[in-house]
Amino acid sequence: VNSLWPLLIVLLSAPLAGERLGWPHLLGAFLGFAGVVLLAFGRGLSFTGAHAVGYALALGCAFVWSLYSVLSRRFGETPTDAIAAFCAASALLSLACHLLFEHTVWPATTAAWLAVLAIGLGPAGAAFYLWDHAVKRGDIRALGALSYATPILSTALLIACGLADPTGALLIAALLVTVGAVLASRER
């Protein structure tokens, strides 16, 4: 459900960022979405009422991230360095939630500490700077469609680490995402 954010970025780029959506952008976004749906259902995804709150939160997350990304375009003059303040505020809110709702478990090994550091520097650090630059200065429609590579790449990483098995559904999903991304970025 959270993987709806790339589709929402493409669809919201017209009304909120003033972009023109042509058939290649729409078809590309929907092909990418079809690839992610195939990947999810190929891995045994099922929806149950017992998890309705989680699904609603995931949908909310998809909307928040896509709105943040598309509306960031309106603040193109704001320097990317401002992301540091957002990351600091997010870290403080996360710490408060952790202290209120979770039990602290410290990493037990040096490898675990290095993994925590790598996550902080990569996806939780540098990635936000790069994303901000891309949404403010790149083709947001193509960026949304290209973002469908995220679940494909994460699944491929699980396969490379021996934590998942390669399947025909993954191959077809990767092809759908690739064709969708090419279509959505064909003006480039």
Side-chain angles (χ1 to χ4, degrees), residues 3 27-44 145-156 159 165-182:
S3 294
L27 182 59
F30 283 109
L31 283 174
F33 179 67
V36 172
V37 167
L38 177 64
L39 179 64
F41 282 101
R43 294 176 65 194
L146 289 168
S147 296
Y148 278 116
T150 303
I152 302 296
L153 292 173
S154 63
T155 303
I159 291 169
D165 295 322
T167 64
L170 176 61
L171 178 62
I172 294 168
L175 288 172
L176 284 169
V177 168
T178 303
V179 169
V182 168

Side-chain angles (χ1 to χ4, degrees), residues 1-85:
V1 174
N2 184 43
S3 294
L4 287 171
W5 65 266
L7 176 63
L8 292 172
I9 286 175
V10 174
L11 296 177
L12 293 173
S13 69
L16 297 179
E19 297 289 342
R20 184 190 66 76
L21 287 180
W23 72 266
H25 305 108
L26 293 173
L27 182 59
F30 283 109
L31 283 174
F33 179 67
V36 172
V37 167
L38 177 64
L39 179 64
F41 282 101
R43 294 176 65 194
L45 176 75
S46 64
F47 291 98
T48 63
H51 304 292
V53 172
Y55 300 139
L57 290 172
L59 183 62
C61 180
F63 270 101
V64 167
W65 184 248
S66 58
L67 285 169
Y68 167 80
S69 297
V70 173
L71 292 174
S72 289
R73 188 135 181 119
R74 291 186 178 208
F75 301 97
E77 70 283 347
T78 304
T80 297
D81 291 342
I83 290 297

Side-chain angles (χ1 to χ4, degrees), residues 85-185:
F86 293 123
C87 288
S90 176
L92 290 174
L93 287 171
S94 296
L95 176 61
C97 288
H98 167 70
L99 294 174
L100 285 171
F101 304 115
E102 297 177 327
H103 173 72
T104 301
V105 177
W106 295 103
T109 65
T110 302
W113 276 107
L114 290 174
V116 170
L117 180 63
I119 288 171
L121 294 174
F128 281 106
Y129 281 93
L130 296 173
W131 185 258
D132 186 71
H133 181 78
V135 297
K136 288 179 179 172
R137 292 166 187 81
D139 183 340
I140 192 118
R141 302 159 302 181
L143 184 63
L146 289 168
S147 296
Y148 278 116
T150 303
I152 302 296
L153 292 173
S154 63
T155 303
L157 183 59
L158 289 173
I159 291 169
C161 292
L163 300 171
D165 295 322
T167 64
L170 176 61
L171 178 62
I172 294 168
L175 288 172
L176 284 169
V177 168
T178 303
V179 169
V182 168
L183 275 174
S185 61

